[in-house]
Amino acid sequence: MAHKASDTTSGSRERAYLSRFAFHAIPGKTGEVETELEKLAAMVAKAGGKNPRILHVHFASAGAPDVIFEQEAPNLDALETQIKKLTDSGDFQMWTKKMSSLLTESPKREIYLVSGSS
């Protein structure tokens, strides 16, 4: 039997997945990365993404990213639709070129299934 991530025993829940992007900034460029991620948050919201947020790392192990970008999605289909809408836009293409010049490596995406109550 297929598992529906949005099913819960205690009622309906709006969010079921968390998409997380990890960014490794060039030393001294973390502030610029955060500014660019604020622009990404606006683009994500315009594409239908829920609760975009930016996390600045203050204490972490060596090799950890400097900044994390998160957004929520009710299911994987919605997330895929949002990503396609975003990546197809000209604004995103220009944003990507600017952002890549601020990073030491390509960002890594992780998608988490949120379990438990929120």
Side-chain angles (χ1 to χ4, degrees), residues 49-118:
K50 302 293 182 204
N51 300 324
R53 61 187 158 261
I54 301 161
L55 308 172
H56 179 113
V57 178
H58 281 276
F59 299 103
S61 300
D66 303 293
V67 185
I68 303 288
F69 181 85
E70 295 182 341
Q71 76 181 76
E72 298 172 12
N75 56 58
L76 292 175
D77 288 338
L79 180 61
E80 186 176 319
T81 298
Q82 293 163 15
I83 290 169
K84 177 155 179 40
K85 185 175 180 182
L86 178 68
T87 58
D88 285 349
S89 79
D91 288 343
F92 181 78
Q93 300 299 325
M94 288 188 300
W95 177 87
T96 300
K97 288 179 185 176
K98 165 85 179 193
M99 182 60 117
S100 65
S101 70
L102 302 173
L103 304 174
T104 61
E105 61 186 69
S106 296
K108 308 295 187 277
R109 181 185 297 271
E110 300 170 332
I111 299 175
Y112 297 90
L113 174 60
V114 179
S115 63
S117 61
S118 56

Side-chain angles (χ1 to χ4, degrees), residues 32-52:
E32 287 181 60
V33 168
E34 288 183 57
T35 298
E36 290 303 313
L37 289 175
E38 289 171 7
K39 295 175 187 175
L40 178 62
M43 288 187 276
V44 164
K46 186 176 178 181
K50 302 293 182 204
N51 300 324

